[in-house]
Amino acid sequence: MPDAALRLTRLLEQVLGTPLPVRIRAWDGTEAGPPAAPVLVVRNRRALRRLLFKPGELGLARAWVSGDLTVEGDLYTALGLLSGLIWERGEDARGLTQALRDPSVRSAVAGLVRMAGLPLPPAPPAEEVRRPGHLHTRRSDKQAISHHYDVGNDFYEIVLGPSMVYSCAYWPAPEPGATLEEAQRDKLELVSRKLDLKPGQRLLDVGCGWGSMAIHAAREHGVSVVGVTLSQEQAAYARKRVADEGLTDRVEIRVQDYRDVSDGPYDAISSIGMAEHVGAARYLEYTTDLYALLKPGGRLLNHQIGRRPQRDESAYRVDEFIDAYVFPDGELAPIGTTVTQLERAGFEVRDVEAIREHYALTLRRWVANLEADWDRAVRLTSPGRARVWRLYMAASALAFERNRIGVNQVLVVKTPESGDSGMPLRARTWGAPDTP
């Protein structure tokens, strides 16, 4: 088929009703589109079949993860240009059905079908999640966590760097002068100061990851810590780190669901990047359980990604790519919803800090880490898994930069009936040394 790129570009523009902002290179080596734009490389006809059988984000994701579709040039620029066609338009099978009422669109789709060849749907990539059944049971949550975190600790060391903190760092200004490790240390210290940790206290770290918060709190603030995770690989790694730091007398790492923790009360609870896994149906249970585990006057720091509210909240749908390949069953809520559920559990909300830009900076550092050691990352996991993480982190960085999603630290207190919250009148310095 001569000049497949030009024909493909024309047909796609006819379907979308707008010029393509990226250049196309087809499987025959031909190219078409804006000369200076990033190149979307359609490596084979199977990529087309993926898009035709699953229009929109999931079809694109399957083509990317399988390697049938790649990008040459700056990935952030390409994703930024494509977001206006896919993510911001919300194109999916329903939208295509409506568009097919237009005879010219039907003709273009028929042309794409002829270009795609055999009308058989390709099997999804092996990295795609197979649904376990009911959402947010103990079993399904454990499976979802295992899919995301049991990728291999060596792989996460590449992406996260020596800090092994898998949540956004807290960057100073100006940011270019700081390392990722310094910014992650500053985030852990910020959480510790907000919780007002003191020697001899007990801290529960919910979703403790690879143990970074637990180790920091014990080493720098003299507290005893229980960290819980559902990931066997995380727990093994965290326990070794604790032993290497000589903190086994002060830090216990458990493979345990937070709903099964029964040895309260604790003086403080940190939940950093864990609540996104809870789900809307279980969120009040989550806040109520943590409230019950705290002493009167105890503090909870909830660090959580949030999304923008919708006019019709019932229309909210989980991002297809992230649900299928990254965070199975994960759900994002607006910050107002999160605060309401914390208050319904009995907490007094004392501080909300939005740190959206900090996550964008963090994600760009993680992408750079992955790209710098790409061949080893592929060997440790699979080509598809490495492509999942590169796309997920780069797209997420843009989402934070464009205010499509955010991240918030919510500090709440289990205020006793006396009303004494234990909070200082001016809290925003969080006990940091005075600066001139």
Side-chain angles (χ1 to χ4, degrees):
M1 181 181 297
D3 209 351
L6 180 59
R7 186 175 179 207
L8 181 57
T9 298
R10 288 174 175 171
L11 290 171
L12 288 172
E13 290 179 344
Q14 199 171 341
V15 171
L16 295 170
T18 186
L20 283 179
V22 295
R23 191 166 178 81
I24 296 290
R25 181 186 302 149
W27 51 87
D28 64 349
T30 60
E31 294 190 18
V39 181
L40 195 63
V41 183
V42 185
R43 298 180 60 189
N44 49 54
R45 298 172 192 269
R46 186 171 56 244
L48 260 186
R49 293 201 291 274
R50 293 190 186 281
L51 292 171
L52 286 167
F53 279 100
K54 199 68 178 177
E57 182 177 342
L58 189 55
L60 276 171
R62 287 174 172 174
W64 171 272
V65 174
S66 64
D68 297 331
L69 193 70
T70 61
V71 168
E72 284 188 9
D74 185 73
L75 180 59
Y76 295 103
T77 301
L79 290 173
L81 293 169
L82 289 171
S83 66
L85 292 178
I86 304 298
W87 294 278
E88 292 169 13
R89 281 166 55 131
E91 294 290 351
D92 57 15
R94 292 188 298 272
L96 181 59
T97 300
Q98 289 185 333
L100 284 172
R101 296 173 182 171
D102 185 331
S104 66
V105 173
R106 286 202 302 273
S107 174
V109 171
L112 289 171
V113 170
R114 287 192 293 272
M115 288 190 76
L118 293 174
L120 296 175
E127 292 77 10
E128 188 166 316
V129 173
R130 305 301 186 263
R131 284 280 165 250
H134 297 293
L135 301 185
H136 301 298
T137 63
R138 283 169 170 75
R139 180 184 177 188
S140 68
D141 282 351
K142 191 173 182 66
Q143 290 175 333
I145 293 299
S146 178
H147 172 86
H148 187 71
Y149 293 107
D150 292 342
V151 176
N153 294 327
D154 291 343
F155 175 80
Y156 276 104
E157 283 181 340
I158 291 174
V159 175
L160 304 179
S163 67
M164 288 299 282
V165 180
Y166 184 35
S167 56
C168 83
Y170 195 66
W171 298 91
E175 168 269 329
T179 67
L180 175 61
E181 288 67 46
E182 290 168 342
Q184 289 290 15
R185 179 202 61 209
D186 288 350
K187 189 273 298 300
L188 298 177
E189 182 60 17
L190 177 68
V191 172
S192 299
R193 290 183 182 277
K194 287 182 176 182
L195 291 173
D196 194 28
L197 297 181
K198 293 181 173 63
Q201 290 184 333
R202 296 183 75 215
L203 169 69
L204 174 64
D205 188 27
V206 180
C208 66
W210 293 271
S212 299
M213 178 62 197
I215 290 170
H216 180 90
R219 184 183 60 214
E220 304 298 329
H221 296 273
V223 299
S224 296
V225 188
V226 171
V228 296
T229 175
L230 292 177
S231 166
Q232 295 282 354
E233 289 196 25
Q234 280 187 336
Y237 190 98
R239 287 167 182 156
K240 183 179 185 306
R241 291 180 73 193
V242 169
D244 290 345
E245 290 278 348
L247 294 171
T248 53
D249 61 328
R250 277 187 277 165
V251 178
E252 178 188 0
I253 303 296
R254 303 174 183 167
V255 178
Q256 186 177 34
D257 193 296
Y258 75 93
R259 289 167 285 196
D260 295 327
V261 176
S262 59
D263 60 345
Y266 288 86
D267 297 282
I269 299 176
S270 53
S271 178
I272 307 172
M274 177 271 177
E276 297 89 340
H277 295 289
V278 171
R282 297 282 189 179
Y283 204 88
L284 184 58
E285 177 185 3
Y286 161 77
T287 58
T288 302
D289 283 353
L290 297 191
Y291 184 87
L293 286 167
L294 273 176
K295 291 180 179 179
R299 300 182 187 184
L300 161 68
L301 190 286
N302 191 75
H303 175 117
Q304 180 178 343
I305 298 172
R307 61 175 172 84
R308 302 291 297 170
Q310 299 185 358
R311 289 183 181 275
D312 178 10
E313 278 293 311
S314 66
Y316 167 66
R317 296 291 181 273
V318 176
D319 182 282
E320 285 188 298
F321 165 60
I322 291 179
D323 191 46
Y325 288 97
V326 186
F327 283 111
D329 304 339
E331 296 179 55
L332 301 183
I335 180 59
T337 302
T338 298
V339 166
T340 296
Q341 295 290 59
L342 287 162
E343 289 185 320
R344 287 182 65 193
F347 286 110
E348 180 187 6
V349 177
R350 295 301 306 228
D351 187 78
V352 178
E353 183 175 5
I355 51 176
R356 171 174 62 84
E357 293 85 355
H358 293 259
Y359 221 147
L361 292 169
T362 305
L363 283 157
R364 284 182 176 264
R365 298 294 181 98
W366 289 345
V367 171
N369 285 347
L370 176 60
E371 292 175 342
D373 208 356
W374 180 259
D375 291 341
R376 191 164 75 94
V378 168
R379 289 196 303 271
L380 289 169
T381 54
S382 68
R385 182 71 66 191
R387 284 192 286 263
V388 165
W389 280 87
R390 184 173 178 234
L391 177 61
Y392 155 62
M393 293 189 298
S396 295
L398 290 176
F400 281 107
E401 288 168 357
R402 296 183 175 195
N403 192 28
R404 292 180 59 218
I405 55 177
V407 61
N408 307 281
Q409 288 192 350
V410 184
L411 179 66
V412 296
V413 180
K414 184 176 180 176
T415 304
E417 290 185 7
S418 67
D420 182 7
S421 69
M423 295 287 296
L425 290 178
R426 294 187 179 186
R428 268 302 173 99
T429 58
W430 303 120
D434 292 336
T435 55

